[in-house]
Amino acid sequence: MPEHKPLRPDELLALDRQHVWHPYGPMPGTVAPLAVESASGVRLRLAEPAYGQRELVDGMASWWSAVHGYNHPVLNAAATDQLGRMSHVMFGGLTHEPAVRLARRLVDITPEGLEHVFLADSGSVSVEVAAKMCLQYWRSLGRPEKRRLMTWRGGYHGDTWHPMSVCDPEGGMHQLWSGVLPRQVFAETPPPGFGAEPDEAYLASLRELVARHADELAAVVVEPVVQGAGGMRFHSPAYVRELRALCDEYDVLLVLDEIATGFGRTGALFAADHAGITPDVLCLGKALTGGYLTMAATLCTPRVADGISRGEVPVLAHGPTFMGNPLAAAVACASLDLLLGQDWAGEVRRVESALRTGLAPAAALPGVRDVRVLGAIGVLQLDHDVDMAAATRTAVSAGVWLRPFRDMVYAMPPYVTDDEDLARICAAMRAVAEAA
């Protein structure tokens, strides 16, 4: 077996620049990333110091997925145990206990009525599968004209094809594809404020839009309560309840994208729980495996599955190579056990309280337009776009990893982050806002 000599940090970064294409970046990259050599708890250890820091408190939970932190002994043990059995086996014609246990657990904990589980590779793919389910459902029922999707502006659902088509068509990152993507139906962005009274005029506009397009709508697809990467906006659960009622009245399917909000992030186990409704299709990802491995799930009701099975093509023609990966499924089961075996709601309330306290002073800073917190999500919205390089330098100098975007400095930390580190995250966010 050849021995691989560890790369020096300068060698690693040189090769990275030469060969590695990073998300939402040019090739070659214009800003050198920070090299991480290990992670434990809520800390990332860098391969070499950056701006005077060798360890950073992770305020991002690795894009909102590492809710238990890093190198967790329970999740490590689950992965190690499963590796000793099998790391992967194809899911076509075969099955295995980790995937079956995971599907059963998801059915048990998600809103009542979701009984069937399609295991996918990533959150974007789970939305792609959801769109395919809805389109095929109506084709199977002899109504192929119901082929458009409705959503509201300000959303983000992923970077594959149909998910891009229901991202914000003007303010989002997928404007490049306008004129090429399917043309969907867009309502205005929901009025802000989780606890705000619902705007009757907005409710009326939703009703008018669904009624006008009902004959061509396959589904309404939205992020409930929190719009994530499209703008970190919070809205009243009343708008989600109204969509459920409208979809029932006008015979349209409802898809909830809970890739970012699922598994406790908003203070409820699922954001749909705030509204007290069950969608026809639910998309999950990110925190599903506690940030260890890529896996997502698309759940649906028997109505959707039975409708597809009655069609000319009675199967859902989708089958990722790594679908139902036993290693990811085993870790996901352990992650759910870990989450639900503790007072997760109390921990999220603790994080929420610390974020409220730590971010409140930022409201007085010049250039800060809004401060908002919901569950384990804290946002400072500025009146101008963030200089990413400067923001990174400021946050890292404060010993914190943040990844602002557009006009927002935000944090979605692991639930296990203690009060001292939460205060440090808030201080770094304030420093970034102040420097900006």
Side-chain angles (χ1 to χ4, degrees), residues 128-144:
E128 198 81 61
V129 170
K132 185 179 284 189
M133 282 180 175
C134 296
L135 293 170
Q136 190 170 341
Y137 171 84
W138 291 113
R139 285 179 176 270
S140 295
L141 269 57
R143 300 189 64 183

Side-chain angles (χ1 to χ4, degrees), residues 9-313:
D10 61 320
E11 293 174 325
L12 186 153
L13 292 176
L15 289 170
D16 181 279
R17 177 175 169 78
Q18 185 177 359
H19 299 298
V20 180
W21 208 325
H22 285 267
Y24 311 118
M27 186 72 230
T30 54
V31 178
L34 303 182
V36 178
E37 68 175 20
S38 64
S40 184
V42 301
R43 282 174 164 71
L44 309 176
R45 182 169 177 80
L46 303 180
E48 62 179 355
Y51 309 116
Q53 301 289 340
R54 186 68 183 269
E55 284 194 345
L56 305 178
V57 176
D58 184 11
M60 306 304 296
S62 278
W63 266 335
W64 328 336
S65 63
V67 293
H68 308 296
Y70 300 95
N71 202 20
H72 197 289
V74 172
L75 303 187
N76 288 358
T80 301
D81 179 70
Q82 185 58 43
L83 277 171
R85 301 170 189 270
M86 59 180 171
S87 60
H88 184 62
V89 63
M90 67 183 289
F91 214 45
L94 302 172
T95 193
H96 47 78
E97 185 171 329
V100 173
R101 283 188 178 276
L102 177 59
R104 179 69 252 181
R105 196 70 188 277
L106 291 175
V107 168
D108 287 344
I109 66 175
T110 52
E112 185 175 358
L114 295 163
E115 297 184 15
H116 308 300
V117 182
F118 190 99
L119 297 171
D121 304 73
S122 69
S124 182
V125 174
S126 78
V127 178
E128 198 81 61
V129 170
K132 185 179 284 189
M133 282 180 175
C134 296
L135 293 170
Q136 190 170 341
Y137 171 84
W138 291 113
R139 285 179 176 270
S140 295
L141 269 57
R143 300 189 64 183
E145 72 280 3
K146 289 175 74 69
R147 59 184 177 83
R148 296 184 76 188
L149 305 175
M150 176 179 148
T151 187
W152 42 40
R153 292 182 182 273
Y156 173 80
H157 299 277
D159 300 336
T160 53
W161 204 246
H162 262 91
M164 283 199 299
S165 75
V166 283
C167 295
D168 193 288
E170 295 175 3
M173 65 182 79
H174 300 313
Q175 289 174 288
L176 173 67
W177 302 108
S178 60
V180 181
L181 289 169
R183 294 185 63 186
Q184 311 296 12
V185 178
F186 286 88
E188 290 304 311
T189 305
F194 173 78
E197 286 297 314
D199 184 317
E200 294 298 328
Y202 185 76
L203 292 172
S205 72
L206 289 179
R207 169 172 287 276
E208 189 278 329
L209 201 60
V210 173
R212 176 156 40 104
H213 292 280
D215 289 343
E216 61 177 343
L217 285 182
V220 173
V221 183
V222 296
E223 299 160 282
V225 176
V226 175
Q227 292 184 297
M232 304 305 295
R233 301 177 190 88
F234 309 153
H235 57 260
S236 169
Y239 302 124
V240 183
R241 282 194 294 272
E242 179 67 5
L243 286 178
R244 176 70 280 176
L246 290 172
C247 286
D248 288 340
E249 181 177 352
Y250 289 98
D251 206 14
V252 177
L253 298 176
L254 177 62
V255 178
L256 294 187
D257 174 353
E258 293 228 30
I259 293 158
T261 55
F263 309 108
R265 181 58 70 175
T266 66
L269 192 56
F270 298 97
D273 296 337
H274 289 297
I277 61 101
T278 298
D280 299 290
V281 183
L282 177 69
C283 300
L284 301 174
K286 288 195 182 293
L288 178 58
T289 68
Y292 266 56
L293 292 151
T294 181
M295 178 174 258
T298 307
L299 288 81
C300 72
T301 62
R303 172 195 177 187
V304 175
D306 292 348
I308 291 171
S309 70
R310 292 199 300 269
E312 181 182 355
V313 179

